[in-house]
Structures are given as structure tokens and as C-alpha cells.
Amino acid sequence: MKSFEFFEPTTLAEASSLFAQKHAQLLAGGTDLVIGMKAYTETPETVISLQKIPGLDGITTDNDKSISIGAMTKVRQVELSEDIQQYHTALAEGASEIGSIQIRNLATIGGNIAHASPAADTVAGLLVADAQVDIASADGERSVPINELFTGPGQTVLKPGEIITQFRLLHPASGSHYIKHKIREVMDLAFIGVASAVNMQNGVIKEARIGLAAVAPTPIRATEAENLLSGKTPTPELLAQAGEAAAAATSPISDLRCSAEHRKEMVDVLTRRTLQNALDRV
Amino acid sequence: MSEKKEYKVIGTRPIRHDGVDKVTGRAIYGADFQITGLLHGRVLRSPHAHARIVSIDTSRAEAHPGVKGVVTAEDLPAAEDKMADLGEGAVSLKYLCDNILASDKALYKGHAIAAVAATSPHIAEEACELIDVEYEVLPPVLEVRQAMESDAPILHENLRTSSLGETGDKPSNIASHFQHKKGDIDKGFDEADVIIEREFVTGTVHQGYIEPHNATALYNPDGQLTVWCSTQGAFTVREQLAEILQYPISKIKVVPLEIGGGFGGKINVYVKPVAALLAKKTGKPVKVLMNRADVFEGTGPTPASYITIKMGATNDGKITAAQTSLVFEAGAYPGSPVGAGAMCVFAPYNIENVVIDGYDVVVNKPKTAPYRAPGATNAAFGTETVVDELAEKLNIDPLEIRLMNGAKEGDRRADGPVYPRIGFIETLEAAKEHPHYASPNGKKYHGRGIASGFWFNIGLESSVTINVNPDGTVNLVEGSTDIGGTRASIAMQAAEVLGIPAESVNPTVVDTNSIGYTAVTGGSRTTYATGYAAYEAAQDVVQQMKARAAKLWDVDEDNVQFADGEFSSINGKEEQISFRDLSARLGETGGPVIGRATMNPAGAGGAFATHVVDVEVDVDTGKVEILRYTATQDAGKAIHPSYVEGQIQGGVVQGIGWALNEEYIYNDEGEMTNASFLDYRMPTCLDLPMIDAVIVEVPNPGHPYGVRGVGEVPIVPPPAAIANAIYDAVGIRMTELPMSPDRLLKAMGKI
């Protein structure tokens, strides 16, 4: 690990102005950053901890069932939240897939998203929850939809000094499901991740959202597949068409974990499976 | 089955002597070791898989604040190309030294080039980056078939193939070729009604021990070198240090600390000589620790291999001929376990006509090291798959074909040895009688597979001393690293002789100055050979104590008998004294009693195992789930059944990882791309069902309690058993390891 300067600001404004410096990195849970620093893949000159800033964690549910999740909320809390389990099952399931319980007790949802790994386990769930990402900086606040946050692997629209403060989940789903394609039951990264969420009306799919992780440079929504589903009565044929459409929307890479063809094939299979399970949960 | 003997201690399940220290975190492992004035060492490793080292400039690192010393291959004594004898066959000293610190060529990514000692680990790491190495990068060769091509990049300009007694005349990557023959192979295939010939490829896999390699070395001004480390054999470390450093063995003391797993991977030395060089250079104690990437890239895995198997059988199921070519990658220097693979490949079967060809081939990967029955798993993957296919073609149950052809006492293996009493048939019968085998197996995409395996086990030297305490307990001193519960299994054998509880024996593993020579904990030898020495040392104690009782009672020594922990007089006087009471009277009867024994027992007895596995294949995702696993194994006599079961389960788990996921993944530049436990995927306990370990006991005639080594053979059958189960589930013969989702989907034509 390279030597670095360490700050523990107690206000967002202070953190934001420090963060605007060159070569600064934010420390949330540390489960990505510290490992990277030990491996010399991250060599920040300055590390700014967000852990002393009050008010950045916690989960609150409003009367209209919309849910806010503070960026510093531990992934384990997201996993165990009854409201998230009920209205955004796919997100709770994604949270439960990260590392081990010990890691989930350290890792934060904000860190999982800001790290911008295309394979992040909470991202597909946030995509199908159509989450709004609230961002603060010394210049003020703004909000972007989660599907506009990412620009590439490890890249986001966040500008120097901007810090994610919370995620707002405004659209509860009546059924959702996340599947992580992986080798091991625990302690593994997603070869791909697929989340599907549906809302039903009189036996017809009112709206469907499909979030895909690790199949493109950024996490994506499979909008063509979603459009194909909306207003239709679910049948195995329809789900198969949606699976194919979702796979067609991807541009996966081949890497040591998985070949591109394998990833594409899995998007097809897992889109069908997550849709079916989401429908079963309605 | 043999007669059942009654034992008081053997066969019970006492709590292991080292248990409390280990579960409370008090046990001292290599990384825990502290000593005043300690410096921290770090090794610079080659970023290239194959490169000539043009120059190394350490001046910037040496000038870095906090750096106390830098070493390179130049600090090693000049290693002419002489052969060094390390007890397990001669090896080239130059190869041995070059693997510690590369002199002229870097032969794999991660090859150690130089090392730094500094006042903190971070400074040492930083200083490594300040060492300027100029490389002339050469094309790497990573696969045995390519390495054998005539135009392949050559690793060693001076290496000539040694083939069936002839030495080649030009540089080659084929270090050696040998052959075992039995009977008339052509006649054997002529007699066969069905002949199956298949090719198999297995990946490079690592032992995956939790604790990375470590060493702390101290050079005293009087020339005494002390090394504290984690190792499978302190004496082996001492021998390797003496050869590599060209230093008198009498001036080296190796202190074994607790070990966090080895599985064969902690026999060869890596950072130990480096720590010694740095200690010599700095005059301070120096600790060198590896990180996980160092372990994957810089220590020996077990080899990838390319295997062809051809077997023939008559319509009634008799295997008439078997032929194989085993091509094993040695890594950067000669010495793959192909010899052991050749001993095991057809070992479970009595086949009249056999030809076995073995090839040891160097490639640009770390020099391979032993791993649990080295070579046998690769070989069995081929043989056991072909036997399964023969059974299918002949419409014979896979257990039945093994029962029909299974090796028994008196049968001769193709490489020479004639079997003493062995228990292969009994493991097959145990599998056949197990409820698992009778359970339904017909669901779609579910399949059941059978495979067997053999490992020869070894004896080698062991020493034990037993000091009798006045309270009737004994201190047992031994030199065998305890990896899998051998303090307990050795102590229990002494306790049985002495008629005292296992808890009354205090076993201690000591340094090389404090016990007689003891070979490595490896080859499944420790409970067998060191246990045998403990048995003999305890007998020595009994003999000496009989003399004390005789003195006490003023009777002839021959008139004292010992049974159930009591000494008694058999002629004339009615005298009796317990072991405990007599132990309090040693001072007055002549002084302390120390029992001792040294051994090099020859009758290790082979170990056989038969496994039954049920899998479910997800035909959409290519994932294989292990639903049920039963492993039967001949343990000879299970001293501590829990630890025998633990060894069986552990071996099966490692075999499952090898079968389904584990492999070194290389890019075209020869860089391992998955040098972490994240992407080198070993199974976790959540990935597996409870593994049912069934102990079969066919006593080994070469041990007083009938012990056979148990640690290695359980890793041998799993890849073949799982491949056979996958075939049963989806009708696809997998011939390449690991059988990962990617490979399975491709084999099923899905991608």
C-alpha cells in the first residue's frame, strides 16, 4: 500500500471540497478501495472517509411506499430491510449476494454503486426499481436516474467533488427477482446479473423492467424486452421472446470468468427465469 | 474382513491436543512470529513468463530510506550444475537455486528475481519497485503439446531429453521419457472385444492452502542459522537450505511453527533461503511473507496434463489390455509427478497387458510441487472415465466391472510391485452395499457416477522419544508437522501401548536440533510411520519400566508383565503396580525413563477408494450441482476415525474443486490472470452437500495396528466420478478439466 493522506470530515461540504482535489478517493465501507490499495491498483494520494458524516445512512419508507436509502447504508441493512424485501425484492436479493456477511456488514450501497463495476450486485435491483440517485457537492445538489449514472467500467457522470447521498426508489414492483450467475454460492462475483420487476393489472403486464449487469460496459436496462412485455399476458413464448430481446441488447466481453457467448446465452436464460419468478411473486 | 482386535484408545475420538490453541487463536503460525530487531523482506518477481535477464541494478533500492539489504541470485553460492541429493532423488542444484532467485533467465511470471529487507513491509514493497531489471522478453510456451514441438521456444539450452536410457543430442523441453511394460500389449488388444481410446486434458491447479509461505531467518555471528517457518518437514527445509546455501547442515536449525495447510505444497522451499540470505546480509532477523498472488504465481501448483488412455475388454467384462501416454507439465524445471501418475494410472486393476509411457515436459509456469496424491488424480480422470465407458458399452454395472477386474493381494502392478493385502475390493463392496447406491437415480438431468482411485503411500524415516512424567503422563517428542490431526493420531498409538488415556500423552513437534531425523509430513506417511515409531518408543518405555518394577520387587525382569496399564509379577511374588504409580518411582529405581525409536518402515500398504456421486446439471447455465457424495476408503485401521473422515471429506472437496472450477488461467503473454481466491474458485462449504465418508478397515500387515495412510487417495476419484455422473445426466463425455459451465455449455452445443 502506498502512503496517503487521510481525512475524516464531519460535513458533506468539507468532504466535497476535499474530494475535488486530485488523486482523492472516497472511503465508504472500504471493501473495494482498501483491497485495491493493498494490490496497488488504487494509489490515491488522499483518502476521505465518509464515515463521520451524520445522516448519510438509513432506510426510510414513505406513505406512498417510496423508499430512500442513504448512500452509507450497509449492504447488509439493505438485504434485511423488510420494506425492500417486499417492494424491491430483486434489490434485497442483490444485496444478499455480495461477498459474505462480514463483508456486507462493512460494504455500503453507495460504495457498491459509485465504484461503478458493471458487475455490482445491487445495480440490477436499483435499475429495475428505477432509482433516482441524489448527488451533493459544494455547488449544490442534483439527481440523476440510475440508468444515466454510468458511463463506462468504473466511470460515472459524477464530477470532481460530487458525492452520492441517497437512492430514492419511487416505483415499487409487485414482483421482482434477481439472479446472479456465478460459480460459488458465496464469495463470488457476478459472471452476469439479471433483475426483472413486473407490475400487473388484470392479468396483464402493466409494466416490466429488466436490469442487466456485467453484459455491457455499463449496467443497462433491456428496454426493447420491456416494451415487448408491457400490455401483454405473460406466456412462456412471450418470456422467451423477452429473453432473446434482452440478450440482443447486450454487448458482453470475453474474460477469464466467462466467454461473451456464454454471457449472452445466460442473459436469455436468466431473463426468462427472473421474469417467471417475478410473475410468480406478484 | 480380518479379526477384530479390542483397543482402548485406538478407534476412539478424543479432542485433539492442539485443538484449544488453534480455536482460540493462540497457536503461533509463521506470520505471527516476532523477534526483537525484526526486518521485513519482500521479493521482486518477474512480470514476464519467459525472459533473459540482461541486468539487475539494485542501487536505487539500496539507497531508499529504511532499506537494509538487497539480494539477487549473485548472493547465492555459485551453483555449478551438480546434482543435489535431497532424499527424494537427485535434483540439479542449478535448477534448485535458480528457482529461488533467477540467475540468467526468468522462466515464469512470478519467478523471484531479487529481494529487499527493510524496516517495514511497505518500505520493502516500495523498494522492490526501485530495482531496475532489464529483460530481453522471449516467447513463452505454456502447454505440453506445444512445448514438445520441434520449433517450440526452449526453456533450458542445456536440457537434453533422457529417454529410455538414451540422452538426446539437442535442446528440448522434454526432460525425460520412461516406460513401464507388462505382458504383451498387442495380444491383449487382440483378445479384446471392445476397445476404447480417449484423450484427456487437465488444468494446472493449486493446493490452495490458507496460509501463505513464510520464513523468519536469523544468522548468528557464530555462524548458526535459525529459520522459523511453516513447513511440512523441518528436516527437508534444513536439507534444502544446506544445498542451496552450500552451508553445513550442522549449522542450520529449522524451527517448525504451526502450519495452515500444505497438501504437498509446503515441502519445496521458496522464501526460506531468501530470508536466510537477507538475514546474512543485514545481520538482523528477517521475515519474508508471501501474499496470495505470490503463492499462486511463485509456488508450485500441480501440473496440467495431456493423457491418452486405451483400454480393451472382452464381452464378459475382463479388461485384457491397457495403454497410456501421460504427458505432464513439470513447470519451469524438470520434475513433474508423472512417475507417481504412472504408478497409479492402472493400479486398481489386475490387467495382464500394460504399456505406460511417461513424459516430463518443461513449460513457462511455476515449477510444479506435490499436491495430494500427485499425478494420480490426473491419471485416474482418464482411466476411470474409460472404464466407465467400457462398462456402458458392455452393459455391465460400473461397480461390477471394477469388482471383476479389481486388484487383489498377489497381483503385480505394471511398474513392478506385487500387492500385499489390500482393500480395493472391500471399498467397492462397501459402495455397493451403501444406501446411496440403491437410492433412485432417474430424474431428468440427474446423474450418478462411480470412480475409484489408488495411492501407494510411503514410509520413510521417523523418530520419536517419550519422556515419562512422575504423574503417569508422558511427553511425546516428534518431528512430524501436524497438518491433519497427527499429534492426536500419533499420541493415541503410544497411549494404547502404555495403557493410558490419549489425554495423558502430550505430543510436541520440535525443531531439527531436538529430535532425530524425520521425513516430511507427506505421502500419507505420518500416522503410519511416525505413529509406528511412537508405538515402538512406547514399547521401549514399557521394557524399561518392566526393569524398574523388577528392581522394586527384586524379581527377574522376565517375570514382570504389563497389561492394561498395570505391571505385575508373574512368578512367585504377587506384586502389582500401575503405570502411573511406577512413573512416580523412577528416580529411586535408576533415574528418568526415556523411550526412543527410529524407523524407516517399508510396508506402507496402498490405499484405495471408491466414490459414488450424484449430480444435477443445469442444462441452460452449464452449472453442475453435487447432490450427494459417498466416499468409501480402506484406512487399514482408523486410529482417530473423525480425522480419517476429515481427510476423506477434505480430499473429496479438493477433488470437486479440481473437477468443476479450479484452473490457472493464462493470457497469451503467459501471465496468470486469476491469481486470487476470487477468480481461482475453490468450493466453499455452502457449495457442497455433507460428504459421507465410509471407512473400510482391511488392516495393513506392515503396521502393528494395521494403519494405512489416508490423506491423499480421497482426491483421486472425484473428477472422474463427476465426469461419469455428468455423462449419466446429459449424455456428454467431458474429457477436459475443469468441467466449468463454459466448457459444459460448449460441449452441449449451447454456445
Side-chain angles (χ1 to χ4, degrees), chain A residues 1-3 38 40 180-189 191 256-259 261-263 265-266 269-270 272-273, chain B residues 122 125-126 129 618 620-623 661 665 673-674 677-684 686-687 741-742 745-746 750-751:
Chain A
M1 190 181 286
K2 278 250 197 296
S3 308
K38 280 187 174 172
Y40 286 80
K180 171 182 188 167
H181 184 50
K182 64 197 172 186
I183 297 283
R184 276 195 299 230
E185 281 301 306
V186 294
M187 302 298 289
D188 211 341
L189 283 186
F191 286 30
L256 69 142
R257 289 180 190 130
C258 210
S259 67
E261 310 84 72
H262 184 168
R263 284 199 164 95
E265 173 71 15
M266 285 310 99
V269 170
L270 299 185
R272 273 186 278 135
R273 287 189 184 179
Chain B
H122 299 303
E125 274 176 21
E126 280 177 27
E129 311 221 326
D618 185 328
D620 291 330
T621 65
K623 283 175 69 169
N661 299 310
I665 301 170
T673 54
N674 61 331
F677 275 147
L678 178 58
D679 280 315
Y680 182 91
R681 287 177 172 77
M682 304 182 76
T684 71
L686 296 178
D687 297 305
D742 219 46
L745 285 176
K746 279 178 185 139
K750 301 261 173 172
I751 55 172

Side-chain angles (χ1 to χ4, degrees), chain B residues 217-282:
Chain B
L218 173 65
Y219 250 98
N220 260 359
D222 63 3
Q224 279 293 330
L225 168 64
T226 307
V227 178
W228 295 265
C229 59
S230 158
T231 173
Q232 288 179 238
F235 286 91
T236 311
V237 172
R238 188 178 71 166
E239 285 161 350
Q240 292 177 74
L241 287 172
E243 287 293 349
I244 291 162
L245 303 172
Q246 291 292 293
Y247 205 68
I249 211 157
S250 59
K251 288 193 174 293
I252 303 171
K253 178 168 98 174
V254 177
V255 186
L257 300 170
E258 219 52 71
I259 186 167
F263 312 106
K266 286 190 184 147
I267 297 172
N268 296 345
V269 299
Y270 302 97
V271 294
K272 295 170 182 96
V274 174
L277 290 175
L278 288 169
K280 189 173 186 187
K281 195 147 212 171
T282 61

Side-chain angles (χ1 to χ4, degrees), chain A:
Chain A
M1 190 181 286
K2 278 250 197 296
S3 308
F4 58 91
E5 217 176 347
F6 184 64
F7 293 95
E8 283 188 309
T10 54
T11 66
L12 257 181
E14 197 186 342
S16 172
S17 68
L18 282 165
F19 187 34
Q21 296 175 8
K22 259 206 316 194
H23 277 299
Q25 288 261 37
L26 295 180
L27 176 77
T31 54
D32 280 320
L33 178 65
V34 175
I35 289 167
M37 289 170 70
K38 280 187 174 172
Y40 286 80
T41 54
E42 303 277 4
T43 52
E45 289 168 4
T46 306
V47 173
I48 304 148
S49 169
L50 300 177
Q51 291 169 358
K52 292 281 162 73
I53 303 170
L56 283 180
D57 66 335
I59 299 166
T60 53
T61 308
D62 289 344
N63 290 336
D64 64 352
K65 295 178 189 168
S66 70
I67 297 176
S68 301
I69 308 172
M72 287 293 283
T73 305
K74 302 295 186 194
V75 166
R76 180 72 170 160
Q77 284 173 262
V78 176
E79 172 191 355
L80 297 179
S81 158
E82 285 179 14
D83 286 342
I84 294 175
Q85 285 175 0
Q86 185 175 349
Y87 302 121
H88 302 283
T89 319
L91 177 59
E93 286 171 332
S96 76
E97 290 279 2
I98 293 175
S100 63
I101 291 174
Q102 293 94 322
I103 290 170
R104 298 200 289 277
N105 275 325
L106 278 175
T108 66
I109 186 166
N112 194 234
I113 294 304
H115 190 62
S117 161
D121 277 311
T122 59
V123 74
L126 286 172
L127 278 169
V128 298
D130 208 8
Q132 280 290 318
V133 185
D134 290 349
I135 298 163
S137 74
D139 300 335
E141 295 178 6
R142 65 175 177 133
S143 185
V144 298
I146 181 87
N147 61 345
E148 291 172 17
L149 182 72
F150 306 103
T151 56
Q155 309 284 319
T156 65
V157 298
L158 294 171
K159 294 182 219 137
E162 284 194 323
I163 297 169
I164 296 175
T165 55
Q166 68 172 354
F167 302 91
R168 284 180 293 124
L169 283 45
L170 305 176
H171 304 115
S174 42
S176 71
H177 183 50
Y178 174 71
I179 297 181
K180 171 182 188 167
H181 184 50
K182 64 197 172 186
I183 297 283
R184 276 195 299 230
E185 281 301 306
V186 294
M187 302 298 289
D188 211 341
L189 283 186
F191 286 30
I192 74 160
V194 178
S196 292
V198 292
N199 279 316
M200 300 295 288
Q201 201 168 41
N202 305 326
V204 169
I205 299 172
K206 189 178 156 204
E207 51 180 353
R209 289 187 289 270
I210 300 166
L212 306 174
V215 292
T218 67
I220 55 169
R221 284 268 294 273
T223 43
E224 285 197 16
E226 293 174 0
N227 294 338
L228 210 106
L229 292 162
S230 75
K232 305 255 175 63
T233 307
T235 61
E237 294 73 32
L238 182 67
L239 301 196
Q241 284 170 24
E244 282 172 27
T250 63
S251 52
I253 55 164
S254 286
D255 64 12
L256 69 142
R257 289 180 190 130
C258 210
S259 67
E261 310 84 72
H262 184 168
R263 284 199 164 95
K264 232 177 167 77
E265 173 71 15
M266 285 310 99
V267 173
D268 185 355
V269 170
L270 299 185
T271 299
R272 273 186 278 135
R273 287 189 184 179
T274 53
L275 278 170
Q276 186 58 57
N277 288 331
L279 287 163
D280 292 346
R281 284 171 174 178
V282 170

Side-chain angles (χ1 to χ4, degrees), chain B residues 356-374:
Chain B
I356 299 167
D357 281 287
Y359 297 86
D360 187 37
V361 180
V362 293
V363 295
N364 291 109
K365 294 184 183 178
K367 160 84 171 74
T368 54
Y371 177 24
R372 217 166 189 158

Side-chain angles (χ1 to χ4, degrees), chain B residues 429-671:
Chain B
E429 285 167 348
K432 200 175 161 185
E433 289 157 14
H434 196 279
H436 184 170
Y437 204 61
S439 68
N441 164 44
K443 275 193 180 168
K444 203 174 183 192
Y445 304 136
H446 285 220
R448 178 167 296 160
I450 305 292
S452 296
F454 167 74
W455 180 250
F456 43 86
N457 295 335
I458 56 172
L460 299 181
E461 306 94 325
S462 283
S463 308
V464 165
T465 59
I466 296 176
N467 303 300
V468 180
N469 297 318
D471 61 355
T473 66
V474 300
N475 294 334
L476 186 153
V477 181
E478 48 156 318
S480 284
T481 299
D482 180 357
I483 307 186
T486 52
R487 281 185 182 90
S489 67
I490 291 163
M492 288 169 74
Q493 295 180 55
E496 185 71 43
V497 173
L498 300 174
I500 58 178
E503 294 78 9
S504 294
V505 181
N506 313 312
T508 312
V509 180
V510 298
D511 64 69
T512 53
N513 282 11
S514 308
I515 185 71
Y517 184 88
T518 298
V520 290
T521 291
S524 300
R525 66 172 288 278
T526 306
T527 296
Y528 167 70
T530 309
Y532 201 159
Y535 169 90
E536 291 291 347
Q539 296 287 359
D540 187 24
V541 167
V542 169
Q543 282 310 312
Q544 292 182 51
M545 299 237 324
K546 276 184 180 172
R548 302 308 176 85
K551 197 167 181 181
L552 217 53
W553 301 329
D554 196 20
V555 299
D556 196 76
E557 209 177 306
D558 295 341
N559 290 337
V560 178
Q561 69 169 13
F562 179 68
D564 296 332
E566 298 278 340
F567 294 90
S568 56
S569 160
I570 39 178
N571 269 332
K573 295 184 182 177
E574 291 250 333
E575 298 279 9
Q576 197 165 354
I577 189 167
S578 68
F579 180 86
R580 183 193 173 106
D581 290 345
L582 183 56
S583 69
R585 304 187 65 178
L586 298 179
E588 65 187 88
T589 55
V593 163
I594 301 176
R596 54 164 287 280
T598 66
M599 311 275 310
N600 188 355
F608 288 87
T610 297
H611 294 188
V612 184
V613 60
D614 291 359
V615 304
E616 178 177 5
V617 179
D618 185 328
V619 293
D620 291 330
T621 65
K623 283 175 69 169
V624 175
E625 189 181 348
I626 308 290
L627 301 172
R628 186 171 184 182
Y629 206 111
T630 303
T632 70
Q633 183 175 325
D634 176 18
K637 176 69 199 171
I639 300 294
H640 193 308
S642 297
Y643 299 152
V644 173
E645 288 155 7
Q647 288 290 334
I648 293 172
Q649 289 163 339
V652 169
V653 169
Q654 287 186 312
I656 291 171
W658 192 339
L660 294 178
N661 299 310
E662 292 179 38
E663 66 177 320
Y664 275 44
I665 301 170
Y666 284 90
N667 63 19
D668 291 342
E669 284 73 47
E671 298 163 350

Side-chain angles (χ1 to χ4, degrees), chain B residues 687-707:
Chain B
D687 297 305
L688 302 166
M690 183 64 187
I691 289 151
D692 191 356
V694 179
I695 300 171
V696 175
E697 293 186 326
V698 178
N700 171 18
H703 184 280
Y705 295 127
V707 168

Side-chain angles (χ1 to χ4, degrees), chain B residues 220-429:
Chain B
N220 260 359
D222 63 3
Q224 279 293 330
L225 168 64
T226 307
V227 178
W228 295 265
C229 59
S230 158
T231 173
Q232 288 179 238
F235 286 91
T236 311
V237 172
R238 188 178 71 166
E239 285 161 350
Q240 292 177 74
L241 287 172
E243 287 293 349
I244 291 162
L245 303 172
Q246 291 292 293
Y247 205 68
I249 211 157
S250 59
K251 288 193 174 293
I252 303 171
K253 178 168 98 174
V254 177
V255 186
L257 300 170
E258 219 52 71
I259 186 167
F263 312 106
K266 286 190 184 147
I267 297 172
N268 296 345
V269 299
Y270 302 97
V271 294
K272 295 170 182 96
V274 174
L277 290 175
L278 288 169
K280 189 173 186 187
K281 195 147 212 171
T282 61
K284 294 275 175 70
V286 180
K287 183 196 273 186
V288 184
L289 303 180
M290 283 192 177
N291 61 29
R292 184 59 56 189
D294 294 342
V295 171
F296 276 118
E297 296 183 337
T299 73
T302 206
S305 53
Y306 167 70
I307 294 170
T308 58
I309 302 269
K310 182 180 177 187
M311 295 178 89
T314 58
N315 280 329
D316 57 4
K318 182 179 164 53
I319 300 172
T320 55
Q323 184 163 16
T324 183
S325 153
L326 304 168
V327 185
F328 279 32
E329 63 180 35
Y333 302 98
S336 75
V338 66
M343 290 161 74
C344 299
V345 60
F346 298 127
Y349 305 106
N350 183 37
I351 307 170
E352 277 177 34
N353 309 294
V354 178
V355 173
I356 299 167
D357 281 287
Y359 297 86
D360 187 37
V361 180
V362 293
V363 295
N364 291 109
K365 294 184 183 178
K367 160 84 171 74
T368 54
Y371 177 24
R372 217 166 189 158
T377 304
N378 311 47
F381 176 54
T383 303
E384 294 295 307
T385 303
V386 170
V387 169
D388 199 66
E389 207 173 334
L390 279 175
E392 184 207 358
K393 287 273 184 309
L394 296 168
N395 204 18
I396 300 174
D397 178 274
L399 275 180
E400 289 301 331
I401 199 169
R402 288 171 170 87
L403 279 164
M404 290 163 70
N405 293 282
K408 302 182 194 70
E409 182 174 0
D411 291 342
R412 188 172 70 80
R413 221 165 60 209
D415 57 302
V418 175
Y419 284 123
R421 181 73 172 93
I422 50 173
F424 179 42
I425 298 296
E426 285 79 358
T427 70
L428 291 164
E429 285 167 348

